[in-house]
Amino acid sequence: MITIDRIIAMKNKEKIACLTAYDYPMAKILDRTGIDIILVGDSAANVFAGEKTTLPIGMEEMLYHTRIVSRCVSRSLVVADMPFLSYQVKVEDAVYNAGRFLKAGAAAVKLEGGETVIDAIRRMIAVGIPVMGHVGLTPQSVHKLGGYKTQGRSDAEAEQISHDAELLERSGCFALVLEKIPAALAGKITRTLKIPTIGIGAGAECDGQVLVLHDILGLFPDFTPKFAKQYARIGDDVEKAVEKYRDEVKNNIYPGKEYTLE
């Protein structure tokens, strides 16, 4: 079983592999392959529910996905994304909501932001809830950022991201996601921090990488990020299989004798 301590110890020794999962069959496969971290991402709003942003998904939906994934995982570390407005309003609510994810089976939670959410993070960690930070492009702030644009290109942005990263480490986060920032900036932050960085569109110098499972499998045709390598096109295979089934039903080929009960 991968633990928080194990993830921290992997820095500078072994790259950390992380993928998202939202359901039992996929989480079961990921766990069997030896993926280090399974992130129950709020990206479920996009690739599972068809929303344009991650903002609509709520606590009950994220808890549902977390329970399903945690139920079948025996090796990987399960980290749950805290959805929009579950941690930004009151520290007490943030801690309570984070605790609900642990009760649902997750080993840790992930939340977006730096200085603005630091009080909530400190309190979570103080009561024993492991926290993974997330800076750079923070999808829950998509409207404020003006879209899903690369962050940290200006000196001011780079300085703020670096500041937030160091603040999150000092506050006790065990790892940090760096999303869609220049590779040079991600490398600098990675070398500065003692905790592992996990990149998504942030270059190869990060201590690990995370991608959305549906992106690497070709299961979400609506949009594929430039930084997401497609390792399979399972969506095409599913479409062909369904077309074949449809044709066999229409032409009275299925069910044949071998699929008929006596």
Side-chain angles (χ1 to χ4, degrees), residues 19 26 51 68 73 76 88 91 141 161 172 193-195 199 206 245 250 260:
L19 282 170
M26 288 299 189
E51 300 283 1
I68 292 170
V73 170
S76 304
Q88 294 99 330
V91 170
S141 302
I161 292 169
L193 300 185
K194 293 183 175 65
I195 60 172
C206 295
Y245 164 76
K250 295 284 187 183
T260 303

Side-chain angles (χ1 to χ4, degrees), residues 56-259:
I57 200 165
M59 275 294 299
E60 297 308 318
E61 294 154 302
M62 287 302 301
L63 286 167
Y64 173 74
H65 288 294
T66 300
R67 278 193 295 271
I68 292 170
V69 169
S70 300
R71 193 175 295 147
C72 69
V73 170
S74 60
R75 179 191 178 277
S76 304
L77 185 80
V78 177
V79 178
D81 253 341
M82 296 193 70
F84 182 59
L85 290 185
S86 68
Y87 59 93
Q88 294 99 330
V89 182
K90 292 182 181 178
V91 170
E92 295 80 7
D93 292 344
V95 175
Y96 175 73
N97 287 331
R100 293 183 72 193
F101 281 110
L102 266 62
K103 288 171 74 71
V109 296
K110 180 176 77 64
L111 55 153
E112 299 176 7
E115 237 173 325
T116 56
V117 294
I118 210 66
D119 290 340
I121 289 173
R122 284 174 177 150
R123 184 63 185 145
M124 289 175 196
I125 293 167
V127 301
I129 301 171
V131 176
M132 177 184 285
H134 183 153
V135 296
L137 173 65
T138 47
Q140 291 176 13
S141 302
V142 60
H143 297 307
K144 176 186 175 183
L145 299 174
Y148 297 101
K149 300 183 294 189
T150 301
Q151 301 298 303
R153 282 186 165 149
S154 72
D155 290 343
E157 285 181 356
E159 187 176 341
Q160 185 63 54
I161 292 169
S162 297
H163 169 75
D164 284 340
E166 292 175 28
L167 186 60
L168 290 167
E169 179 180 58
R170 289 197 301 273
S171 299
C173 289
F174 72 92
L176 183 64
V177 169
L178 302 176
E179 181 166 359
K180 209 167 182 184
I181 64 175
L185 175 59
K188 181 182 176 183
I189 293 171
T190 299
R191 291 188 298 273
T192 300
L193 300 185
K194 293 183 175 65
I195 60 172
T197 62
I198 299 173
I200 175 166
E205 287 193 70
C206 295
D207 296 301
Q209 298 292 328
V210 58
L211 284 174
V212 172
L213 181 64
H214 289 58
D215 289 340
I216 75 164
L217 295 181
L219 282 171
F220 188 67
D222 293 5
F223 173 72
T224 302
K226 182 181 178 181
F227 54 76
K229 180 176 178 179
Q230 204 168 72
Y231 288 83
R233 297 186 64 86
I234 291 176
D236 292 346
D237 293 337
V238 171
E239 190 171 338
K240 289 174 185 174
V242 171
E243 287 173 347
K244 187 172 182 182
Y245 164 76
R246 177 205 62 204
D247 291 345
E248 289 193 359
V249 170
K250 295 284 187 183
N251 293 299
N252 203 26
I253 296 170
Y254 177 85
K257 223 176 170 186
E258 65 272 36
Y259 298 107

